[in-house]
């Protein structure tokens, strides 16, 4: 029962994280007249404050010394901070410039880009269905490029930057909260310097208390979904999180059309349809492979239990064949612990 409760709590944590990420497009326009770069700088500065408070409450500091003694991991953290800064800045710009649907496309194709990077950079081998999904995703990008007269650069930037971020984080090997703390620590000084330059020029928008509170809350908007995601990651299978991740671009896509009223010409619908087809194939293949893996694991466990029981049965039979009437076992037809006697 406890395991079931933990998984249920983890599922709702993951659900909340991806829904919050999907609803973020409503939040960024509230920060106008702040530009994308100023919002990004505030997000970096205030995120560090939020995660430091969380680490203080949880008393999780031991990882810092180990990280500082490993230059290679420090370099990877700096790379992760750079890549996610590009991703955050591009996404904020997209939302505040009427490109929410194109931004959602980036997160739709992100799983396909991640798979392609696994093949090209890590030498991973794909199953036929995964190859079909990647090829369909490439065809979708081609259709969109022909329709628009140019490749969907914003979508590709968001997809590749986030996929690269995930790859680097895998190499760093830090937890979600610790990783965010390290990355925002790298971002903090450049972001603070940029805000100070804006203030010195009289171009900063951190003015009224209400607007200042909204800018300060960017730290909470950044950290809260990550904390929820971290709680979900340790309680539910990765396959479940993999399915939940599609909620974010679905919400973004819906907001782009229904809330921001962005145009959807036929070529965009065609491109998105191909992407959704690719993701359907990818999800079906992942579920089928997970089912096969569980079935194989159950079969191996059953075979192991059978092998453990065989020596015990042999010992019982040998004991029953010993000399003397006491060792001869029960009378014919009398039931025993392993079944009726022969």
């Amino acid at each position: 029962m406890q395991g079931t409760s933990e998984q249920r709590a983890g599922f709702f944590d993951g659900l909340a994280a991806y829904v919050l990420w999907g609803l973020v497009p409503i939040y960024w326009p509230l920060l106008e007249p702040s530009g994308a770069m100023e919002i990004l700088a505030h997000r970096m500065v205030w995120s560090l404050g939020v995660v430091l408070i969380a680490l203080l409450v949880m008393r999780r500091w031991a990882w810092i010394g180990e990280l500082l003694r490993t230059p290679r991991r420090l370099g990877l953290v700096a790379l992760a901070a750079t890549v996610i800064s590009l991703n955050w800045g591009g996404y904020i710009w997209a939302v505040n410039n009427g490109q929410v649907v194109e931004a959602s496309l980036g997160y739709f194709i992100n799983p396909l880009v991640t798979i392609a990077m696994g093949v090209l950079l890590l030498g991973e081998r794909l199953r036929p269905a995964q190859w079909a999904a990647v090829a369909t995703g490439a065809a979708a990008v081609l259709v969109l490029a022909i329709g628009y007269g140019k490749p969907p650069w914003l979508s590709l930037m968001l997809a590749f930057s986030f996929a690269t971020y995930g790859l680097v984080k895998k190499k760093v090997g830090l937890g979600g909260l610790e990783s965010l703390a390290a990355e925002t620590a790298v971002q903090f000084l450049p972001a603070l310097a940029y805000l100070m330059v804006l203030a010195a020029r009289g171009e900063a928008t951190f003015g009224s208390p209400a607007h200042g509170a909204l800018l300060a809350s960017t730290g909470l908007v950044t950290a809260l979904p990550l904390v929820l995601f971290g709680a979900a990651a340790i309680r539910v299978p990765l396959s479940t999180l993999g399915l939940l991740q599609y909620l974010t671009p679905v919400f973004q896509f819906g907001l782009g059309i229904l809330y921001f009223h962005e145009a959807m010409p036929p070529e965009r619908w065609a491109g998105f349809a191909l992407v959704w087809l690719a993701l359907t194939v990818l999800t079906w293949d992942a579920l089928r492979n997970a089912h096969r893996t569980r079935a194989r694991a159950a079969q191996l466990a059953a075979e192991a239990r059978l092998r453990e029981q065989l020596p015990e049965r042999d010992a019982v039979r040998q004991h029953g064949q010993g000399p003397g009437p006491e060792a001869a076992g029960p009378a014919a037809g009398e039931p025993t612990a392993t079944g009726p006697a022969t």
Side-chain angles (χ1 to χ4, degrees):
M1 289 294 293
Q2 184 176 1
T4 303
S5 300
E6 284 285 310
Q7 286 197 358
R8 185 181 298 112
F11 173 82
F12 284 109
D13 285 337
L15 181 67
Y18 284 114
V19 169
L20 285 174
W21 276 324
L23 294 177
V24 161
I26 299 176
Y27 174 76
W28 300 127
L30 300 177
L31 303 181
E32 295 178 353
S34 301
M37 286 298 295
E38 186 178 5
I39 295 172
L40 176 63
H42 276 287
R43 186 177 189 178
M44 294 172 177
V45 168
W46 295 107
S47 293
L48 180 60
V50 171
V51 295
L52 286 179
I53 293 173
L55 289 173
L56 182 63
V57 171
M58 299 179 181
R59 299 180 180 179
R60 286 158 59 172
W61 305 105
W63 59 274
I64 297 178
E66 181 183 351
L67 178 63
L68 292 176
R69 291 190 296 268
T70 314
R72 179 179 177 275
R73 294 179 76 193
L74 277 175
L76 290 173
V77 167
L79 177 59
T82 302
V83 173
I84 198 60
S85 297
L86 179 64
N87 184 272
W88 285 355
Y91 183 67
I92 294 169
W93 181 90
V95 173
N96 287 352
N97 286 272
Q99 303 292 326
V100 177
V101 171
E102 189 167 348
S104 74
L105 175 64
Y107 294 105
F108 271 125
I109 66 177
N110 174 67
L112 303 172
V113 172
T114 300
I115 290 175
M117 291 178 66
V119 174
L120 297 175
L121 301 179
L122 303 179
E124 296 178 356
R125 299 180 62 182
L126 299 186
R127 296 183 293 274
Q130 291 175 312
W131 277 116
V134 172
T136 305
V141 172
L142 181 62
V143 168
L144 290 167
I146 294 174
Y148 284 119
K150 61 178 182 178
W153 293 119
L154 177 63
S155 303
L156 293 173
M157 184 276 290
L158 291 174
F160 275 91
S161 60
F162 201 73
T164 303
Y165 177 66
L167 178 64
V168 175
K169 281 176 69 72
K170 183 177 180 180
K171 297 290 185 181
V172 173
L174 283 176
L177 189 61
E178 293 85 351
S179 179
L180 181 61
E183 292 155 18
T184 50
V186 172
Q187 297 167 336
F188 179 80
L189 288 179
L192 183 62
Y194 178 76
L195 292 176
M196 292 175 66
V197 169
L198 284 183
R201 293 178 177 175
E203 299 174 1
T205 60
F206 196 89
S208 67
H211 188 67
L214 282 172
L215 286 171
S217 64
T218 55
L220 189 61
V221 169
T222 300
L224 180 58
L226 283 171
V227 172
L228 291 169
F229 174 79
I234 62 176
R235 290 183 173 93
V236 298
L238 287 178
S239 58
T240 302
L241 287 180
L243 293 177
L244 286 175
Q245 74 173 334
Y246 296 130
L247 286 175
T248 295
V250 165
F251 273 90
Q252 293 169 351
F253 178 78
L255 286 173
I257 295 178
L258 302 176
Y259 183 81
F260 294 101
H261 305 292
E262 294 183 16
M264 279 294 292
E267 62 271 14
R268 178 174 280 189
W269 278 114
F272 269 84
L274 285 173
V275 170
W276 294 332
L277 175 61
L279 293 178
T280 300
V281 172
L282 194 63
T283 303
W284 168 78
D285 178 71
L287 292 174
R288 183 184 63 167
N289 188 61
H291 175 74
R292 288 179 175 176
T293 301
R294 288 194 298 268
R296 180 59 178 163
Q299 180 183 358
L300 292 175
E303 291 174 355
R305 287 194 299 270
L306 182 60
R307 284 194 297 269
E308 291 174 358
Q309 293 172 359
L310 285 177
E312 297 177 2
R313 293 180 179 178
D314 292 341
V316 170
R317 291 195 184 98
Q318 291 175 2
H319 180 70
Q321 292 173 357
E326 294 83 5
E334 185 177 340
T336 67
T338 56
T342 56

